[in-house]
Amino acid sequence: MGKIVAIVTTNKEKVAGGAPIFVADNREELEKLAFRLEKIMDCAVHDLLNGDLIVVEHE
Amino acid sequence: MKAWEWIFESEYTIGILIGGLFGLGARLAMLQTDYRQYPTYPHGRIIHIALGVIAAGLGAVAVPSLLGKDYTAVTFLTLAAQQFRDVRNMERETLTKIDSMELVPRGATYIEGIAMVFEGRNYLVIFTAFMTSLFSILFGWYWGIAAGIGSLMLAHYFKSGKSISAVADVELVPIRIDGPDLYVGDIYIMNVGLEETRQQIAENGLGLIVKPKNKNSRVTIANIGQRQAMLHDISTVLGVYRDTGEPSLIPLAKLDMKDGRLAVFILPQEKDPDKARKVLMKVPLLESAVRMPTEANVQS
């Protein structure tokens, strides 16, 4: 089972919960943030297609 | 009397000698290091040649001890079995440890398959040495050599298993990226979140579909160990576009649950679709992955 280690979003109101949330102003910033998080955390980024990207640690 | 004529003095010595030589010959013939580079050169090979000599000796010596009515001597064959089970354990342990350091692991089923082969081949060596020694002692050294050659051929027959091409057809299909979703043909593989990763996948990825030929092979290629073996072998031969800390760039094999086709997504260093197809066809069919649902007596 994968584990969500971070959420990167452009819409702060739509997300909440246990994982750290990073808010971006636009799509470009969103991608950059997610990219860095991916490299730092050794995790995979997945797109939920609602403006959120999640950083997931797979086993 | 010439110096070497003592060999013919005892009726058993020549048998043991020929048996031992053929046994060793069988081990050497079955000890091939191919693209998998296993057993490793030179020490991995030395270990197995040494064990082969022991196996050949055991097989060859068993005959005179039986003929000498020394029946309890056969119990040392159980010692041999124990010894070669340990070989299997040793190989399994080593490979499992090495596996955690691979970019694309072999997987437990493949490792078990390799370990099993090492044990099995030692028994083939014992068999070859035993037959050769038996025929030499009973009928003369020339019959021993004939029996040895026969056993070598038998050992050669049992040596190699089947490959994927025996149970399935492989075809090349384009990979498709639809938004964040990655497909091989029409089979969903994974969700890729970053545009940059998607570009890398579009550039370097290759897709293949493995179509099972019948019900039995459908179960076999669905086996997770068999799938991992395919990914490992392709990555060994064609290289892999991957590094640590890049979990998004990962070769994967996913099943179409409706009809049992297997989509194989790979990231080769050398993007040669035809070669990839050939390599996939030649992936060994793992013994432990083979199932025969059609053999069950509930089938009509």
Side-chain angles (χ1 to χ4, degrees):
Chain A
M1 199 183 73
K3 188 182 157 215
I4 301 180
V5 295
I7 301 164
V8 193
T9 182
T10 47
N11 190 351
K12 200 179 166 183
E13 278 75 47
K14 279 176 81 177
V15 291
I21 299 161
F22 296 82
V23 184
D25 293 331
N26 49 48
R27 183 76 201 181
E28 194 189 345
E29 196 192 342
L30 183 84
E31 287 257 352
K32 274 185 184 165
L33 259 173
F35 177 79
R36 271 178 225 129
L37 279 168
E38 183 182 78
K39 301 307 163 208
I40 295 165
M41 304 301 294
D42 283 0
C43 289
V45 171
H46 298 288
D47 195 338
L48 297 180
L49 286 176
N50 63 351
D52 298 339
L53 293 177
I54 52 171
V55 184
V56 177
E57 182 181 18
H58 292 281
E59 273 172 20
Chain B
M1 193 171 88
K2 291 193 186 96
W4 47 267
E5 275 180 3
W6 63 269
I7 292 172
F8 299 102
E9 294 271 285
S10 159
E11 49 181 330
Y12 295 152
T13 322
I14 186 82
I16 294 172
L17 208 66
I18 297 178
L21 282 176
F22 266 95
L24 182 60
R27 190 67 194 104
L28 289 175
M30 289 187 286
L31 193 67
Q32 286 161 358
T33 301
D34 56 8
Y35 63 94
R36 282 164 280 198
Q37 280 300 300
Y38 203 85
T40 48
Y41 182 83
H43 295 98
R45 290 189 69 114
I46 291 172
I47 291 169
H48 287 289
I49 292 171
L51 287 164
V53 171
I54 297 172
L58 282 170
V61 173
V63 177
S65 57
L66 272 176
L67 293 175
K69 305 229 170 9
D70 192 3
Y71 299 125
T72 48
V74 176
T75 51
F76 74 20
L77 285 178
T78 57
L79 198 76
Q82 180 62 48
Q83 159 90 357
F84 296 121
R85 257 206 312 282
D86 285 346
V87 172
R88 179 172 173 177
N89 288 336
M90 171 189 89
E91 288 302 337
R92 184 195 298 120
E93 255 170 52
T94 318
L95 282 166
T96 309
K97 276 185 191 141
I98 295 171
D99 216 33
S100 60
M101 297 284 133
E102 298 271 0
L103 281 175
V104 180
R106 286 186 175 86
T109 319
Y110 202 174
I111 289 176
E112 199 52 52
I114 297 172
M116 212 190 294
V117 161
F118 278 111
E119 188 182 353
R121 287 187 183 178
N122 274 308
Y123 296 136
L124 285 174
V125 168
I126 294 185
F127 169 77
T128 306
F130 183 86
M131 291 312 280
T132 312
S133 167
L134 182 75
F135 276 76
S136 308
I137 291 169
L138 290 184
F139 307 114
W141 62 270
Y142 35 89
W143 281 110
I145 288 175
I149 292 168
S151 310
L152 279 180
M153 288 197 295
L154 202 70
H156 186 77
Y157 172 76
F158 282 115
K159 184 189 83 172
S160 43
K162 287 182 182 160
S163 56
I164 290 293
S165 55
V167 298
D169 297 313
V170 179
E171 66 179 51
L172 283 162
V173 285
I175 56 172
R176 185 161 61 87
I177 294 168
D178 181 10
D181 299 324
L182 170 67
Y183 293 84
V184 164
D186 56 333
I187 302 170
Y188 178 79
I189 301 290
M190 62 174 163
N191 179 306
V192 186
L194 292 176
E195 187 52 44
E196 200 192 293
T197 315
R198 288 200 280 266
Q199 274 168 16
Q200 283 178 328
I201 287 176
E203 228 171 86
N204 298 292
L206 269 180
L208 300 126
I209 283 186
V210 184
K211 276 186 184 165
K213 284 182 182 168
N214 56 41
K215 251 195 224 171
N216 291 339
S217 43
R218 185 171 165 171
V219 187
T220 307
I221 62 165
N223 182 288
I224 298 165
Q226 182 64 66
R227 294 194 221 174
Q228 191 61 38
M230 294 181 199
L231 297 174
H232 175 82
D233 265 18
I234 295 177
S235 305
T236 307
V237 179
L238 298 177
V240 60
Y241 191 85
R242 184 157 204 240
D243 196 12
T244 52
E246 300 275 357
S248 307
L249 292 172
I250 185 168
L252 277 176
K254 292 272 178 187
L255 211 56
D256 184 332
M257 286 179 281
K258 284 195 288 288
D259 56 11
R261 287 175 307 148
L262 183 74
V264 181
F265 164 68
I266 52 168
L267 289 153
Q269 286 278 351
E270 181 188 345
K271 200 177 171 183
D272 185 339
D274 289 317
K275 207 167 169 183
R277 187 173 161 272
K278 275 182 201 152
V279 175
L280 187 50
M281 301 273 277
K282 281 186 186 156
V283 171
L285 196 62
L286 304 177
E287 265 176 57
S288 324
V290 175
R291 298 285 187 286
M292 293 281 172
T294 54
E295 301 282 310
N297 52 15
V298 289
Q299 307 281 352
S300 51

